[in-house]
């Protein structure tokens, strides 16, 4: 199997200012406790979720530690939050500073809705956020 992806609803890593104190710290920690052993054991490449109305992407992460600052055969899971597809509540363009989320590799500051395009072949897995 060239790629192992897991899709869920709640983020295991997120950095929204609005949700930092509950969702991105306490809740996310609980989800990581429940799932990261499985992600590690089964070599999950990417975890894709929504819930937060924003787009952000991590570096490869394993148990809270960045395993690489690139995506070439990483020894960790890349986490993608892509929950900005069009909620009437609006999108959240706020993020904590980088030092508080050292695993974060990219994010979108837009309040516009958007969607994620995934392109897959046997040698590459490419995600693009379109807004």
């Amino acid at each position: 199997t060239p790629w192992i992806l897991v899709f869920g609803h709640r983020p295991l890593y997120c950095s929204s200012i609005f949700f930092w104190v509950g969702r991105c710290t306490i809740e996310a920690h609980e989800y990581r406790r429940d799932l990261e052993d499985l992600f590690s054991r089964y070599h999950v490449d990417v975890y894709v979720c929504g819930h937060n109305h924003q787009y952000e992407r991590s570096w490869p992460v394993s148990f809270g530690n960045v395993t690489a600052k690139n995506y070439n055969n990483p020894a960790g899971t890349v986490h993608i939050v892509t929950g900005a597809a069009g909620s009437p509540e609006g999108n959240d363009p706020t993020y904590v500073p980088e030092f508080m989320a050292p695993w974060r590799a990219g994010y979108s500051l837009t309040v516009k809705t958007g969607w994620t395009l995934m392109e897959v072949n046997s040698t590459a897995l490419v995600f693009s956020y379109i807004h």
Side-chain angles (χ1 to χ4, degrees):
T1 304
W3 309 109
I4 298 175
L5 286 82
V6 173
F7 293 84
H9 182 75
R10 301 270 182 159
L12 276 65
Y13 292 89
C14 61
S15 61
S16 164
I17 289 175
F18 288 146
F19 298 111
W20 183 253
V21 172
R23 184 180 297 171
C24 294
T25 53
I26 298 166
E27 290 178 22
H29 176 75
E30 292 173 7
Y31 303 137
R32 288 194 302 269
R33 184 192 64 223
D34 294 341
L35 295 172
E36 280 194 307
D37 280 331
L38 292 171
F39 286 9
S40 179
R41 183 180 321 144
Y42 295 105
H43 307 285
V44 172
D45 297 297
V46 180
Y47 175 67
V48 180
C49 68
H51 197 61
N52 291 4
H53 298 168
Q54 55 189 186
Y55 172 83
E56 68 180 311
R57 177 188 72 251
S58 76
W59 293 112
V61 179
S62 183
F63 301 100
N65 299 307
V66 174
T67 61
K69 291 258 181 152
N70 66 61
Y71 300 107
N72 297 323
N73 299 314
T77 302
V78 174
H79 294 258
I80 297 176
V81 178
T82 181
S87 168
E89 297 170 354
N91 289 336
D92 176 6
T94 67
Y95 298 89
V96 297
E98 185 176 343
F99 76 90
M100 295 174 71
W103 44 262
R104 186 179 61 216
Y107 58 94
S108 175
L109 290 172
T110 187
V111 294
K112 296 179 181 177
T113 58
W115 51 281
T116 303
L117 173 66
M118 178 176 55
E119 299 174 88
V120 182
N121 64 43
S122 63
T123 61
L125 179 62
V126 178
F127 284 85
S128 302
Y129 179 65
I130 314 293
H131 59 84

